Amino acid sequence: MLRDGFEGAAAGPTNDADASRFLAQATFGPTDADIAHLRAIGYQAWLNEQFAAPPTFEMDYLDWVGNTLHEQVGHQNRREAWFLAALGGPDPANNALIHTDQLRQRMAFALSEILVVSDQNAQLAEFPESIAYYYDILVANAFGNYRALLEQVTLSPAMGTYLNMRGNQRADPTRNIHPDENYAREINQLFSIGLVMLKPDGTPQLDAGGHPIPTYSQATISAFAHVFTGWNWYDCDDNGFDNFTDCGPDYTTGENWLHPMAPYDQPNHPRNGDPSYHDNGTGPNDMHAKQLLVYPGAQAGGVLADGGSAASDLQFALDNIYGHPNVGPFIARQLIQRLVTSNPSPAYVKRVADVFNANRTSPNQLRAVAQAILLDPEARYGHLYSDKYGKLREPLIALTHFWRAMDARHTCGRNFTQGTVQYHYANQPYRYAGYSTAWGTDDDQYGSGVAQAPMNAFSVFNFFKPSYLPPGEMTQGNLVGPEFQLQTESVIANTANSVEGRAFYFDVARVCDAGDDFGEVKVNHAKDLALAGSGSGGAADPADRLVDAYNKRFMSGQMSPFMRQTLLTYLNRINSSWTEGVSDWRLWRIHTALYLIFNSPEYMVQK
């Protein structure tokens, strides 16, 4: 309270615990080196470093895999690319290139859970480059302008495929063709304004009867559906004749996934006789004078005039959505939830939404928003003011935290040829591969999965809804807990088992199996031997240094006295007689401490 009151939240960090908390919100997990660096330079200088850090792109990695290593590119490589960006560090293609863009990647991951596409879609599952190209849009725009991002997302082939805008065409009742409403609905409901009118602080506006006011009607969605017509792959017409209704993905190169969709509304394409597939209000079955969103200040009252092109009508529609007063608080609240706390106060939401709105035309809008979220007093000190503060850690972010803090590297694997395909996994510490560790994180019943993998959400509603109310006390207190939606009984049990494997067995020092083709991601337990003990163990050689180091590294100094003493009581039983399966008894202390901490409620709830 004194630091906040006299110096301001942005003045720190004043201790290691504050630094670790900040990094838990702004990165994929604190490391000892990151904590020391942040302490040395302060919040603002660290943010400036992050804003200047070169972006890490998934397509660069897939290009290396396919065109340099000449491997067959699959979704497992896309997951390797995601972990490379999330964990940071040297690039496997060039070890001198160090990936440091943690905040950009954390923002991109947050955006991927708002602007959702998923490789669970059957066609996207066939083309890993479709998802990689889409994710790189989020990475490139993570500090950019939300209106610009919304347009690039709208025109991406991955989103066009996922929500059916690609190939959507103007109505023709004689052929039973009607504009698809899928994207029209989700761009409003999930990507921009939500279902009900909001106050600037994100709380619902109510009518005279005390009921929430809807943001739009079914008629509004129908109008948007007619606007979002006439777009398809960029190359449907490059052979000189109309191919709109019989144009598909390039199964040879996947190239047409890597370009924005193009409009097909004559005369914009080579053959002048091509029909227009876009409803611009002038055709016999078109919707005339389309009424889009209505709100104070909406251009032309939200009415789209007839006679435009697919491109100009799209611009009007996106401007209409982006201009809605809900966008600021709607997006601000979700970004706060993804980075900081599940139940931000209305005042916190309003402060961030105000920054969003003040930067509506800025090319660095989301950069300002990210800084506002992380330097807000509620982000820095909210855990001291409220017992309702914090969020359940996402399983995938808990995993990256574990790996980053324990110096994870890929080990084992070999170079071999399978059929005509070559694979190169020998001596590749920065290729984060492996069936049990990196590739199979979406497994929710067996193996080492944690029920979550990047760009693998169950539906357009993400892995969890931002409004999810866990049953019991949280529902009674009207407290949302989005990540709890993933925590089924089987997932909790499987996660505990997967943590056991990572805490005990996946160690870089283990001898490789000659038949291990792809290797696994493993951690360096031995880095903490000196912390685990200096003698023979037992109560006379306590584990307090280890517990205190892990308290800083994993729990931001927030471990309760009860938990600390409980851990010490158990760990201090371990002594030099514990030799089974280890080269040094102290590894038992390290393994056990990691296992107990990562399965503890105190760790899993990030405060």
Side-chain angles (χ1 to χ4, degrees):
M1 287 173 61
L2 291 175
R3 291 201 303 272
D4 184 17
F6 286 100
E7 298 178 354
T14 59
N15 54 51
D16 287 351
D18 284 352
S20 181
R21 279 192 65 257
F22 178 90
L23 292 168
Q25 297 165 352
T27 74
F28 283 93
T31 68
D32 290 344
D34 288 344
I35 292 169
H37 180 62
L38 177 57
R39 286 292 311 278
I41 67 172
Y43 293 136
Q44 189 61 63
W46 186 90
L47 287 168
N48 291 343
E49 284 184 348
Q50 289 295 300
F51 296 143
T56 303
F57 291 119
E58 292 191 358
M59 284 301 300
D60 290 343
Y61 186 89
L62 296 194
D63 179 68
W64 174 68
V65 170
N67 296 323
T68 300
L69 300 182
H70 303 294
E71 294 181 7
Q72 182 174 327
V73 174
H75 279 285
Q76 74 276 11
N77 303 121
R78 187 180 58 76
R79 292 187 183 183
E80 292 167 19
W82 188 87
F83 278 115
L84 172 64
L87 300 181
D91 190 277
N94 174 14
N95 291 178
L97 172 61
I98 309 299
H99 297 284
T100 61
D101 57 327
Q102 279 287 295
L103 178 57
R104 178 184 291 274
Q105 295 296 328
R106 187 67 190 271
M107 280 287 286
F109 185 60
L111 291 166
S112 78
E113 296 187 329
I114 299 171
L115 303 157
V116 175
V117 304
S118 172
D119 61 16
Q120 293 205 23
N121 174 277
Q123 190 165 75
L124 298 183
E126 296 182 81
F127 296 93
E129 57 270 88
S130 68
I131 302 287
Y133 176 79
Y134 180 83
Y135 198 80
D136 284 352
I137 290 174
L138 305 181
V139 170
N141 291 276
F143 299 145
N145 181 273
Y146 196 74
R147 168 63 178 80
L149 172 60
L150 205 57
E151 181 168 341
Q152 291 186 41
V153 162
T154 299
L155 294 180
S156 66
M159 181 60 79
T161 298
Y162 190 61
L163 291 181
N164 309 117
M165 179 178 153
R166 183 183 56 74
N168 198 22
Q169 55 185 301
R170 72 197 315 172
D172 185 349
T174 63
R175 294 187 294 150
N176 197 28
I177 292 175
H178 306 277
D180 189 283
E181 295 182 354
N182 204 2
Y183 189 64
R185 191 176 311 280
E186 306 311 352
I187 191 177
N188 283 286
Q189 178 181 349
L190 301 178
F191 302 169
S192 59
I193 63 173
L195 293 173
V196 300
M197 294 295 296
L198 302 175
K199 299 175 184 176
D201 64 6
T203 58
Q205 294 185 30
L206 304 178
D207 62 18
H211 305 108
I213 303 169
T215 48
Y216 56 80
S217 67
Q218 174 56 39
T220 316
I221 298 303
S222 295
F224 274 108
H226 283 258
V227 175
F228 295 140
T229 51
W231 297 85
N232 213 327
W233 306 103
Y234 85 104
D235 58 351
C236 288
D237 215 10
D238 66 352
N239 54 9
F241 63 88
D242 173 41
N243 199 29
F244 185 89
T245 59
D246 191 29
C247 185
D250 185 337
Y251 281 92
T252 303
T253 67
E255 180 66 24
N256 53 9
W257 289 103
L258 312 183
H259 300 268
M261 294 187 295
Y264 291 84
D265 52 344
Q266 187 273 338
N268 293 335
H269 280 264
R271 257 175 50 106
N272 290 333
D274 289 357
S276 172
Y277 296 92
H278 171 62
D279 177 341
N280 71 347
T282 63
N285 302 305
D286 286 355
M287 179 183 288
H288 302 287
K290 301 174 186 67
Q291 178 64 67
L292 305 183
L293 297 172
V294 180
Y295 53 87
Q299 182 182 356
V303 177
L304 175 61
D306 297 346
S309 67
S312 66
D313 287 354
L314 180 71
Q315 294 298 318
F316 184 94
L318 294 180
D319 286 344
N320 175 255
I321 292 170
Y322 182 64
H324 195 284
N326 268 26
V327 178
F330 185 78
I331 296 302
R333 180 180 176 83
Q334 290 192 70
L335 289 175
I336 293 169
Q337 286 183 310
R338 299 282 57 78
L339 301 179
V340 178
T341 183
S342 295
N343 294 276
S345 71
Y348 185 9
V349 173
K350 184 178 185 302
R351 288 191 293 270
V352 176
D354 285 348
V355 171
F356 183 99
N357 290 328
N359 289 272
R360 276 187 166 270
T361 61
S362 168
N364 301 313
Q365 180 187 37
L366 292 178
R367 166 178 167 163
V369 167
Q371 178 164 306
I373 290 172
L374 294 170
L375 295 185
D376 192 90
E378 193 164 325
R380 305 279 40 88
Y381 302 120
H383 62 301
L384 303 177
Y385 301 148
S386 171
D387 59 1
K388 300 173 183 176
Y389 178 92
K391 64 191 291 289
L392 187 70
R393 296 180 198 265
E394 292 183 52
L396 200 55
I397 292 180
L399 172 58
T400 59
H401 186 184
F402 177 78
W403 278 349
R404 278 174 52 78
M406 296 301 295
D407 297 345
R409 292 292 178 265
H410 174 264
T411 67
C412 303
R414 63 192 186 95
N415 298 335
F416 65 100
T417 300
Q418 194 173 72
T420 59
V421 180
Q422 304 175 54
Y423 294 95
H424 307 80
Y425 283 96
N427 304 311
Q428 289 284 2
Y430 311 114
R431 288 197 75 179
Y432 296 100
Y435 285 109
S436 297
T437 50
W439 295 343
T441 61
D442 56 326
D443 182 22
D444 60 2
Q445 291 189 9
Y446 310 102
S448 298
V450 293
Q452 193 180 24
M455 306 301 284
N456 182 243
F458 314 129
S459 76
V460 71
F461 293 97
N462 189 31
F463 301 99
F464 37 74
K465 296 179 181 179
S467 58
Y468 178 69
L469 288 163
E473 290 183 49
M474 291 186 70
T475 293
Q476 294 167 10
N478 197 34
L479 296 174
V480 302
E483 295 83 358
F484 281 93
Q485 196 168 5
L486 273 178
Q487 299 299 312
T488 64
E489 292 179 356
S490 63
V491 167
I492 292 171
N494 191 61
T495 300
N497 291 336
S498 72
V499 169
E500 179 185 26
R502 293 185 177 90
F504 284 79
Y505 305 116
F506 288 107
D507 189 302
V508 294
R510 285 185 173 260
V511 176
C512 296
D513 184 340
D516 185 351
D517 290 341
F518 298 104
E520 297 288 354
V521 180
K522 303 177 184 179
V523 300
N524 181 14
H525 294 105
K527 65 175 283 188
D528 293 330
L529 284 174
L531 297 171
S534 56
S536 300
D541 183 18
D544 54 319
R545 292 178 61 219
L546 181 69
V547 171
D548 291 342
Y550 284 0
N551 182 21
K552 177 184 76 172
R553 194 184 303 170
F554 296 115
M555 299 183 63
S556 303
Q558 295 174 314
M559 185 183 294
S560 69
F562 170 80
M563 180 175 173
R564 182 178 186 277
Q565 187 55 54
T566 301
L567 280 174
L568 285 173
T569 298
Y570 186 83
L571 295 175
N572 288 347
R573 296 170 57 244
I574 299 173
N575 57 38
S576 56
S577 68
W578 291 50
T579 57
E580 183 179 356
V582 296
S583 58
D584 188 316
W585 67 269
R586 292 174 295 179
L587 289 171
W588 275 110
R589 278 189 173 173
I590 294 167
H591 297 163
T592 305
L594 290 170
Y595 178 71
L596 293 175
I597 287 171
F598 271 80
N599 280 308
S600 70
E602 288 194 24
Y603 170 75
M604 286 307 299
V605 177
Q606 172 188 315
K607 294 186 177 179

